[in-house]
Amino acid sequence: MRIFVTGATGFIGSAIVHELAGAGHRVLGLARSDAGAEALTRAGAEVHRGDLADTQGLAAGARACDGVIHTAFIHDFSNYAPAAETDRRAIEALGAAIAGTDRPLVVTSGTLLLRRQNALATEQDEPDPAGLPRKSEDAARTAASKGARVCVLRLPPSVHGDGDHGFVPALIELARETGISAYVGDGRNRWPAVHRLDAARLYRLALENGAAGAKFHAVADEGVPFREIAEVIGRRLNVPVVSKSPDEAANHFGWLAHFVGLDRPASSAQTQQLLGWRPAQAGLIPDIDRPSYFGA
């Protein structure tokens, strides 16, 4: 199949491009810049120039392919609501372009968005309307109601591996700046996680075999205690590991404060059963406990 991938030059998207190519698919990757286009060409992909705001361009890319994987998102937490609105419009444009064709569209969401009903968030749980205003799953439902074959793949807060520029690197940089590696309360709140290569394989499986309307969890570690993350950072940087109260956390962590105290374990048991997906890469703690995570 020829697959249109948004976010194709990103941390996760670039791994998806390689995964798809390795399975014999051809990739048309969205690129905003010359550097992105060159990276896609080196990876053996075709290039579709544009960005998330160009809904007509997104629709053209989708119509030119046999399926779509949508991973692009504007990760600007200072302007999160506009970023979520751009994502909504992009998903609806992609869905409208392939409506009625049975071409698959895999939409990215996140386990942190869920209103958990059990000890572990499952694929059956729905987004919390009081949580972050990301609209990807609402947009996926809208696209499905108009005849698109859509499934949702939810990523955990930490997608790790070489090239990571997400939450853990932000925590490492904060520890360097402040001279301490901190956690909130007793640090037993849990973060699910997955390696980028395992996540990339799940995107391919969801594209190839996912049923319309299905929800999948790219979760390898169901819940890593946050204190363990802080302890690795403290040991690697040789700085104290300390507890912060919820009030202190807001001042210390800045924009990260909303996330570091969350206890949101999640399961991928249903996903593994349905798609035969088995995480094979290193877990979060052994992966970040390497010199490369700390610039060495």
Side-chain angles (χ1 to χ4, degrees):
M1 292 194 294
R2 187 181 190 221
I3 310 302
F4 182 41
V5 180
T6 73
T9 61
F11 174 60
I12 300 170
S14 58
I16 293 171
V17 169
H18 286 287
E19 174 69 27
L20 291 171
H25 298 295
R26 293 177 295 136
V27 176
L28 176 66
L30 182 67
R32 291 180 300 166
S33 65
D34 290 342
E38 291 171 5
L40 285 172
T41 300
R42 288 195 301 272
E46 301 172 73
V47 177
H48 183 82
R49 292 300 294 265
D51 58 38
L52 284 184
D54 178 13
T55 54
Q56 291 186 351
L58 294 176
R63 285 193 294 267
C65 292
D66 304 305
V68 181
I69 293 177
H70 174 59
T71 68
F73 190 81
I74 303 169
H75 292 281
D76 182 356
F77 289 100
S78 65
N79 291 287
Y80 196 86
E85 179 61 19
T86 298
D87 186 47
R88 180 189 67 78
R89 292 175 180 171
I91 293 167
E92 291 183 359
L94 293 167
I98 61 174
T101 66
D102 201 39
R103 299 176 189 176
L105 166 60
V106 182
V107 169
T108 302
S109 183
T111 64
L112 278 185
L113 305 175
L114 300 179
R115 178 171 54 192
R116 191 175 66 203
Q117 302 297 325
N118 303 296
L120 291 174
T122 74
E123 292 86 344
Q124 304 307 311
D125 289 323
E126 295 294 332
D128 185 351
L132 287 172
R134 185 162 181 171
K135 303 176 181 179
S136 51
E137 297 197 31
D138 288 341
R141 282 191 291 271
T142 298
S145 71
K146 296 180 179 180
R149 178 185 158 195
V150 186
C151 66
V152 170
L153 193 150
R154 294 167 175 162
L155 295 171
S158 181
V159 181
H160 55 91
D162 292 339
D164 186 358
H165 52 266
F167 284 125
V168 171
L171 292 167
I172 292 170
E173 184 59 30
L174 181 63
R176 282 198 175 102
E177 293 174 357
T178 62
I180 61 172
S181 180
Y183 56 89
V184 179
D186 62 10
R188 291 193 293 179
N189 59 295
R190 295 156 293 176
W191 274 17
V194 69
H195 194 283
R196 68 190 286 259
L197 299 183
D198 284 326
R201 184 157 44 86
L202 182 56
Y203 272 100
R204 176 177 62 81
L205 292 173
L207 178 88
E208 294 172 342
N209 303 307
K215 299 179 178 66
F216 302 113
H217 281 191
V219 172
D221 290 312
E222 291 186 342
V224 177
F226 190 87
R227 181 169 180 168
E228 293 184 14
I229 300 171
E231 287 172 344
V232 171
I233 295 171
R235 175 164 45 78
R236 283 284 179 179
L237 296 181
N238 195 29
V239 298
V241 179
V242 302
S243 171
K244 294 286 185 179
S245 70
D247 289 341
E248 292 171 329
N251 182 60
H252 176 78
F253 287 105
W255 67 270
L256 284 164
H258 178 81
F259 304 99
V260 294
L262 292 176
D263 182 48
R264 296 291 179 88
S267 167
S268 62
Q270 295 174 32
T271 295
Q272 294 190 41
Q273 180 179 10
L274 287 171
L275 295 182
W277 176 69
R278 299 290 184 271
Q281 303 297 320
L284 177 61
I285 294 301
D287 194 33
I288 67 173
D289 195 4
R290 296 182 294 130
S292 60
Y293 251 88
F294 296 83

